[in-house]
Amino acid sequence: MTLLPVPRTAIVVVAAGSGTRLGGGAPKALVGIDSRSILRHALEGVFAAAPMQVVVVAPAGFEGVVETETRAAAGERADLASVVTGGETRQQSVSAGLAALWGDIDTVLVHDAARALTPAEQIDAVADAVDEHTGAIPTLPVVDTLKRVDGHAVVGGVDRSELAAAQTPQGFPRLLLEAAYRTAAETGADYTDDAALFAAAGHPVRHIDGSERAFKITTPADLERARQMLAGGRPAAAVLPRIGVGTDVHAYGGEGDLWLAGLRWPGEQALAGHSDGDAVAHAVVDALLSAAGLGDIGTHFGTAHPEYAGAHADVFLRRTVQMLADAGFVIANVSVQFQANRPRFSARREEAEGTLSAALGGAPVSLAATTTDGLGFPGRGEGVAVTAVALVVPAG
Ligand code: CTP
Ligand code: MG
């Protein structure tokens, strides 16, 4: 067994916020960026930095899952980590974290879990920049031109060379930060970050270079930015559209009227097949299922499902749209190519496209038809061949 030296530095990772602006349906730190949560990514950075005590501040009621995430990220450093419960405000959450520091700690960093992609080097650099009197924070230059406003009026400019945008972790001499926190608790003062609270107690703070990757995930657009950064600038697979192809062939020879593209074609030779033989609808269903990775038409509507015998296109298509919605997809568009001598689609193309589109919840459908110059089974008038291509996108 290797005994790690007792660290003199600690980091309090505050993850107890609710994430109101992100609206992710869970406390922000537990929302996934890719297969890993915001918290898990933040902790990967923390545990890649120099060994230090790690106190993770969890949202009340979520201590168990935060503990699991912390253990998974800590690996062999699990003994350095602990989880405490946060408070109503960020300041209260930091206080709860400070209360869990070990006696030997002399430098404490405070870090937002929401800055999930902060590089380990930034954590180490902040720790190195703290001394016994002075706090240290990472900053980025302000790039936008800034204006002073009053209501809708612009009342002046601001010299941005005097300004910098603050990030985390922010590092401080432990005893001075604790005293400053006690004072803030006594006076009820509320500060926007730890450096402001520390400076209000009369202590100096220096700044070092921050990094773009340490941006804070606040809104859904920020989460998307994090996803793109992790994917190296390429949109994550989860947000890319997906394409699918389907084909269907039916022979003429069924009873009654021809049904094709959701339309009845009086006087035309019917097609043979389970259900109404609507090869256009069947190819579209296969293209959609394939795009969403949900198998094919036989899996869901085959002869094992007698309830679909004789069913028309809208039944299949509406059920398919529902399956895609359940799997988290919306349909971008569908394109169909029909090959046969009959029926002639030209006079009813718009009607067919409109009928299919309506059954697909309004997704655009385009339909092209061709004869095969007398070649092959469509050319000999034995049946029809249809190819469909569908594009689906993950629901936003
Ligand atoms: N935080 C905390 N306890 C709170 C509030 C915030 O630990 N009571 C933490 C958040 O988890 C986050 C960091 O402080 O890591 C910065 O806060 P912010 O980005 O505002 O996160 P939320 O408060 O969760 O988001 P929102 O303000 O949109 O609700
Ligand atoms: Mg907040």
Side-chain angles (χ1 to χ4, degrees), residues 181-220:
Y181 257 90
R182 276 194 301 274
T183 309
E186 281 158 18
T187 58
D190 196 33
Y191 296 93
T192 51
D193 69 354
D194 306 286
L197 181 149
F198 187 76
H203 307 300
V205 178
R206 64 169 63 101
H207 71 108
I208 63 168
D209 289 344
S211 58
E212 293 289 345
R213 284 184 78 84
F215 75 100
K216 184 158 75 73
I217 298 174
T218 305
T219 63

Side-chain angles (χ1 to χ4, degrees), residues 73-101:
E76 290 180 354
R77 294 197 196 168
D79 288 350
L80 293 177
S82 58
V83 173
V84 300
T85 307
E88 288 286 302
T89 65
R90 183 182 181 282
Q91 210 163 300
Q92 288 167 3
S93 294
V94 176
S95 285
L98 294 177
L101 296 183

Side-chain angles (χ1 to χ4, degrees), residues 89-349:
T89 65
R90 183 182 181 282
Q91 210 163 300
Q92 288 167 3
S93 294
V94 176
S95 285
L98 294 177
L101 296 183
W102 293 331
D104 289 326
I105 299 299
D106 56 25
T107 297
V108 59
L109 311 184
V110 181
H111 188 36
D112 290 337
R115 298 183 186 276
L117 305 185
T118 304
E121 297 73 35
Q122 179 160 326
I123 298 171
D124 286 331
V126 170
D128 288 346
V130 177
D131 67 31
E132 55 186 313
H133 310 289
T134 314
I137 67 170
T139 61
L140 283 184
V142 174
V143 290
D144 292 321
T145 295
L146 300 173
K147 299 292 182 200
R148 207 174 295 285
V149 295
D150 182 5
H152 287 292
V154 174
V155 295
V158 180
D159 179 6
R160 71 177 171 218
S161 67
E162 290 180 0
L163 302 174
Q167 299 184 327
T168 72
Q170 302 190 343
F172 309 93
R174 182 240 182 116
L175 294 177
L176 295 185
L177 184 69
E178 284 178 337
Y181 257 90
R182 276 194 301 274
T183 309
E186 281 158 18
T187 58
D190 196 33
Y191 296 93
T192 51
D193 69 354
D194 306 286
L197 181 149
F198 187 76
H203 307 300
V205 178
R206 64 169 63 101
H207 71 108
I208 63 168
D209 289 344
S211 58
E212 293 289 345
R213 284 184 78 84
F215 75 100
K216 184 158 75 73
I217 298 174
T218 305
T219 63
D222 296 328
L223 187 62
E224 189 53 35
R225 181 177 171 202
R227 286 185 174 140
Q228 298 210 9
M229 276 188 175
L230 285 174
R234 182 175 174 272
V239 300
L240 287 175
R242 294 176 50 125
I243 197 168
V245 65
T247 65
D248 198 26
V249 167
H250 278 294
Y252 295 112
E255 299 291 316
D257 287 327
L258 171 71
W259 283 86
L260 204 57
L263 302 179
R264 191 158 70 90
W265 299 77
E268 294 282 349
Q269 170 67 60
L271 291 164
H274 179 56
S275 79
D276 63 355
D278 187 335
V280 170
H282 299 175
V284 169
V285 169
D286 256 350
L288 289 167
L289 292 174
S290 161
L294 292 174
D296 64 16
I297 193 168
T299 324
H300 301 284
F301 303 98
T303 45
H305 298 270
E307 67 273 25
Y308 293 115
H312 294 307
D314 65 325
V315 175
F316 290 89
L317 294 175
R318 285 182 202 285
R319 176 79 194 108
T320 303
V321 173
Q322 188 57 50
M323 280 191 281
L324 262 68
D326 292 346
F329 291 103
V330 293
I331 302 168
N333 78 306
V334 173
S335 173
V336 181
Q337 173 72 60
F338 173 81
Q339 296 181 25
N341 296 336
R342 300 212 53 89
R344 293 290 188 196
F345 261 101
S346 47
R348 299 188 76 184
R349 179 200 318 277

